[in-house]
Amino acid sequence: MRLVYLSISSHTRPISGDGSFLIHTRHRRHNDVRLDDDQAMALVIRGRDEENTQRTLAALERTRIKYPGKNDDEAQDVLDHIIKNWKTHKPKIASYWLVKLDSVKRKKVIDIVRGNVEAIVARVWRCRNVEHLRLTRLFNRVFNRMHNGRGQGLWNCFTTSTDSWETNFSKSTDAVSDAELQCCRRIVRLSKDCLLIVFHFANEAKSFAEDRERSENIATFRASVGSRGYSMTSQHELPKRFTRPRSAASIPRPTWDQRWRTEALTSQQ
């Protein structure tokens, strides 16, 4: 009987069930571990971003627009007065924002809020370059929306128009969390307060300048009158053109009744 020995090459792939999937199973387990690590890191980052967003919202809620020369309570009284008498102030504010101010000045008003918001985000998130943050990109969309249309975007926030800044987020495929939406709403509120305070301050400054100019004109007139050497209340010290005697032509002639009475008295004497 002849025995035949079958040799298996070392390069031949095992055909057994356990051995044939051994290498593939190891790679799959390694990928699963790596995927679990990425998911865990993503969850950590997401939780940190949500916490920073809540802290940003709290900081924005504490933020107030400063009124030069007034404290926060006095500035709030000015805002309450304007809102209470909105029908009276509305056309004046609309003319000031949409007509009187040009694009550069309107941008400066919005940049007052933008600069403070960027400082808050940088402090809360502890980073210098905040442009890459998702929250900053959302804020920039809101600021650009308010500045568009020659300031019409911000003015629409004072009305009940359906063309609101929130339509940008409703049409976007990127979902916005409730905290992010609250932050954007707070930014819009700060921008509205900033416009009202700037308008009121400019109006007060204009009234003050007009009163000062009127006072200066009165003081100048009184000084010029006093330098001529006569008083406004003394008729004897007025110039000759004000005190010259009247001519005969300027004296009114007596009426027939007066003339008749004069002749009658003369005949009686």
Side-chain angles (χ1 to χ4, degrees), residues 1 5 8 10 34 50 52 83 98 104 115 121 133-134 145 149 163 174 176 190 193 225 230 245 251 255 261:
M1 181 176 179
Y5 295 93
I8 300 176
S10 60
R34 182 184 301 174
E50 291 178 354
N52 288 336
I83 297 300
L98 300 175
V104 176
V121 173
L133 296 176
R134 166 186 166 83
R145 178 70 176 182
D163 187 15
D174 191 7
V176 180
L190 290 174
D193 292 348
V225 171
Y230 59 86
I251 299 176
T255 61
R261 291 180 180 179

Side-chain angles (χ1 to χ4, degrees), residues 83 86 90 93 97-98 110 141-148 151-168 184-193 195-196:
I83 297 300
W86 178 245
K90 181 180 178 180
I93 298 174
W97 175 250
L98 300 175
I110 296 178
R141 290 171 59 184
V142 175
F143 286 125
N144 294 335
R145 178 70 176 182
M146 290 188 293
H147 187 259
N148 287 342
Q152 192 66 42
L154 177 57
W155 183 248
N156 288 338
C157 298
F158 288 93
T159 64
T160 57
S161 175
T162 56
D163 187 15
S164 176
W165 58 271
E166 295 188 22
T167 57
N168 286 343
C184 294
R185 289 174 179 171
R186 180 57 184 169
I187 288 177
V188 174
R189 176 62 184 274
L190 290 174
S191 300
K192 292 167 60 177
D193 292 348
L195 171 57
L196 298 181

